[in-house]
Amino acid sequence: MGAEPIYLMMLRAELTIDGRRHHAFVTDREELALESLASPDQGTTQGPIDSGGLVDIGSFGDIVSRAQRALDLEGRKPTDVRLTALCLSGHSEHLVAGYRDFRIRTKKGVRAFFPMQATTRQIRSPFRRASLRKIVMQELAEEAAGYEE
């Protein structure tokens, strides 16, 4: 997305199941046992990424499973997944984002993920970035509403 460091805020998975799209934020690595982590930050994909750096977000299977749990769609078979990384630019608080689409196919009980484009597509439109910011704020409000005051 650029030469400067970025801060990964959220990872969004959009699953297509029975022709319908369902999305969930899958930032936290819920599949990892807390007692197995050397530090709490290993349980999330959120955090700074230096130029040329990377973050282990888990396997495709882990990500799809996290999304299915969050959406209460466990046991349903998705046909496609779109992964969107939502980040803050290192020099400002501008939202930057990119996504990549994958087809999900199964052969002899083994699930495989095939990219639908060669590279990650950046979301550059100010309108689309504003829309994503609104989605993030709505998701955070909904999550907070699920807790007692």
Side-chain angles (χ1 to χ4, degrees), residues 23-108:
H23 72 272
F25 287 95
V26 292
T27 309
D28 294 331
R29 303 275 317 264
E30 298 166 353
E31 72 276 7
L32 301 176
L34 290 175
E35 56 274 357
S36 70
L37 304 176
S39 65
D41 65 334
Q42 290 178 332
T44 185
T45 61
Q46 188 177 47
I49 306 172
D50 289 329
S51 180
L54 61 93
V55 172
D56 181 2
I57 62 173
S59 70
F60 286 108
D62 291 341
I63 293 166
V64 168
S65 293
R66 288 196 308 256
Q68 288 176 303
R69 274 193 303 278
L71 295 163
D72 198 25
L73 293 172
E74 292 175 282
R76 306 276 300 275
K77 293 188 178 190
T79 56
D80 303 288
V81 62
R82 171 176 284 182
L83 300 178
T84 303
L86 299 130
C87 306
L88 291 176
S89 173
H91 297 292
S92 68
E93 296 218 5
H94 290 290
L95 183 69
V96 294
Y99 69 91
R100 195 157 182 208
D101 299 310
F102 299 87
R103 292 253 186 255
I104 304 171
R105 298 294 180 257
T106 305
K107 183 177 182 179
K108 296 182 181 178

